Amino acid sequence: MAVSVAQQVFSLIRETVEAQNVNLWDVRFVKEGASWYLRVIIDSDTGISIDDCTNVHHAIDPILDDADPIDKSYYLEVCSPGLERELTRAEHFEKMANQKIKIRLYKAKDGVKEFSGTLISATDETLTAQINSTTAEFLRSEISSVKLDDANF
């Protein structure tokens, strides 16, 4: 399977980002309108400041210039994941176990497309959550997104 631009960049910059005393939460390469954006999302147990974003930007910019992993022009953005952070990687699900989440499906299941509950566990194939008083299992392939429920904060 081909490695995506985001996966390449994640591997390329992870060590440098973590040397800035923050965690690399995710990397996304997305097109919005006519422009491409490389979003480097950083996190920390103590929160993310503008200075953190600026420091990471300055640290990774020369790495990206040297490696040149993207064959088109793009804007580099460094930001925090925010309160409703999207959970995409195995380590996100591990770290956020027992937290309130919102699950959005591609297609409605029993007439419902969005669920709120507590994350129990996740594998590459499934996600298990406590929805009201019921334990529910979802196939990862049917999930459009999983985010922290900002009602926690």
Side-chain angles (χ1 to χ4, degrees):
M1 182 163 92
V3 176
S4 73
V5 167
Q7 290 170 316
Q8 268 186 293
V9 171
F10 192 96
S11 297
L12 191 64
I13 65 171
R14 183 178 205 157
E15 191 175 300
T16 301
V17 169
E18 291 176 355
Q20 302 299 310
N21 297 314
V22 297
N23 300 314
L24 182 55
W25 181 263
D26 210 354
V27 174
R28 301 199 181 123
F29 188 59
V30 296
K31 186 173 186 183
E32 293 180 2
S35 301
W36 284 90
Y37 293 86
L38 179 63
R39 291 203 174 96
V40 174
I41 305 165
I42 59 174
D43 193 25
S44 164
D45 291 339
T46 59
I48 295 298
S49 69
I50 296 292
D51 288 340
D52 293 326
C53 294
T54 301
N55 293 339
V56 168
H57 192 289
H58 290 306
I60 65 173
D61 199 33
I63 294 168
L64 294 170
D65 285 347
D66 288 346
D68 200 19
I70 303 171
D71 63 355
K72 55 186 73 138
S73 65
Y74 63 91
Y75 295 98
L76 174 61
E77 293 181 349
V78 179
C79 57
S80 80
L83 293 178
E84 282 193 345
R85 61 194 62 211
E86 187 170 0
L87 310 181
T88 57
R89 300 179 173 280
E91 59 263 26
H92 298 166
F93 291 99
E94 289 170 23
K95 183 176 181 180
M96 298 301 165
N98 300 312
Q99 297 294 314
K100 299 286 185 198
I101 57 170
K102 292 180 189 175
I103 303 164
R104 178 181 287 260
L105 304 178
Y106 290 112
K107 293 181 180 180
K109 185 176 191 175
D110 299 324
V112 181
K113 197 171 180 178
E114 292 185 22
F115 297 85
S116 292
T118 302
L119 175 63
I120 296 173
S121 65
T123 68
D124 288 342
E125 293 83 31
T126 62
L127 180 140
T128 306
Q130 186 76 29
I131 310 291
N132 299 319
S133 59
T134 306
T135 300
E137 187 170 275
F138 300 89
L139 292 176
R140 294 285 293 269
S141 60
E142 65 188 3
I143 297 173
S144 142
S145 68
V146 178
K147 295 182 178 184
L148 281 187
D149 187 339
D150 72 347
N152 288 327
F153 300 96

